[in-house]
Amino acid sequence: MPLNIDWQQILLHLLNFAILAFILYMLLYSPIKKYMAKRKAMYEDMQKETQDKLQQAEDAKLEYQKQLDSVEQQTALMRKQAESEIATYKQAQMEEAKATADKLVAQAKKTANTEKQKILSSASKEIKELVTTATEKIATKSTSQSVDEFLDEIERSKKVEKAG
């Protein structure tokens, strides 16, 4: 044996190394490789689920945006209708107030005319009494003095008529 090498020992060591490598492959490498494949599949599934949930969220967001736009349109339409109703109601109230005001003005005019007639009637009665009194005084007093007083009485009665 040159260099003191025993080929049988080398072959036995190689066989032991092969058996050890096979056992290590079966006990360590294979399970770790399976575990890593499962883990990779799990993360891929999680990524897919996340993408699906993100897509669903975006779809829901679009749907909600459509609903929000629809609600805004309905709100604007309802606001326009309410404004129209308010304008109609306001117009009706204005017309009713105008009619009431016209009635009040007509009633006030009627009352004023009635009061005017009463005042004129009263003034006419007073004038008649004054004329009667003046006539009596004229008849009883002297002519020149009576005429002056009569004229003064007429002027006073005209002033009363103008004032009434």
Side-chain angles (χ1 to χ4, degrees):
M1 276 221 175
L3 296 172
N4 203 14
I5 297 175
D6 189 11
W7 290 102
Q8 190 178 15
Q9 282 289 333
I10 291 175
L11 288 176
L12 282 175
H13 282 299
L14 283 175
L15 180 64
N16 278 340
F17 181 73
I19 291 171
L20 180 64
F22 179 73
I23 290 173
L24 286 177
Y25 177 80
M26 293 303 282
L27 290 177
L28 293 177
Y29 183 73
S30 181
I32 289 175
K33 192 172 182 178
K34 288 179 184 175
Y35 173 75
M36 293 301 284
K38 285 181 184 177
R39 188 171 177 193
K40 183 179 178 182
M42 180 183 72
Y43 283 120
E44 287 174 355
D45 288 344
M46 286 175 60
Q47 179 71 20
K48 185 180 178 189
E49 286 178 23
T50 304
Q51 290 295 331
D52 290 344
K53 287 182 180 179
L54 180 63
Q55 184 62 37
Q56 289 175 353
E58 289 176 359
D59 291 343
K61 180 182 175 184
L62 290 174
E63 181 65 29
Y64 291 141
Q65 187 63 37
K66 287 178 185 176
Q67 289 177 354
L68 182 61
D69 292 342
S70 174
V71 167
E72 287 176 356
Q73 289 174 353
Q74 289 176 351
T75 303
L77 180 63
M78 290 173 69
R79 182 176 293 131
K80 286 180 184 178
Q81 289 175 345
E83 288 173 355
S84 174
E85 289 175 4
I86 288 171
T88 304
Y89 180 73
K90 183 179 175 182
Q91 183 65 29
Q93 289 296 322
M94 291 296 288
E95 289 173 3
E96 184 179 329
K98 186 176 179 182
T100 304
D102 290 342
K103 285 180 185 178
L104 288 174
V105 167
Q107 187 177 10
K109 283 182 181 180
K110 185 178 179 181
T111 305
N113 284 335
T114 306
E115 288 295 320
K116 181 181 175 183
Q117 292 300 325
K118 286 180 184 178
I119 290 171
L120 288 176
S121 174
S122 172
S124 178
K125 286 180 185 178
E126 287 180 21
I127 290 172
K128 287 178 184 177
E129 289 175 7
L130 286 175
V131 170
T132 308
T133 308
T135 325
E136 290 174 359
K137 284 183 181 179
I138 287 176
T140 58
K141 289 188 179 179
S142 69
T143 357
S144 65
Q145 195 177 23
S146 308
V147 171
D148 289 338
E149 287 179 7
F150 178 72
L151 292 175
D152 289 338
E153 284 294 322
I154 291 174
E155 286 179 21
R156 276 191 231 141
S157 66
K158 284 184 183 177
K159 287 181 184 176
V160 170
E161 275 185 52
K162 287 182 182 178

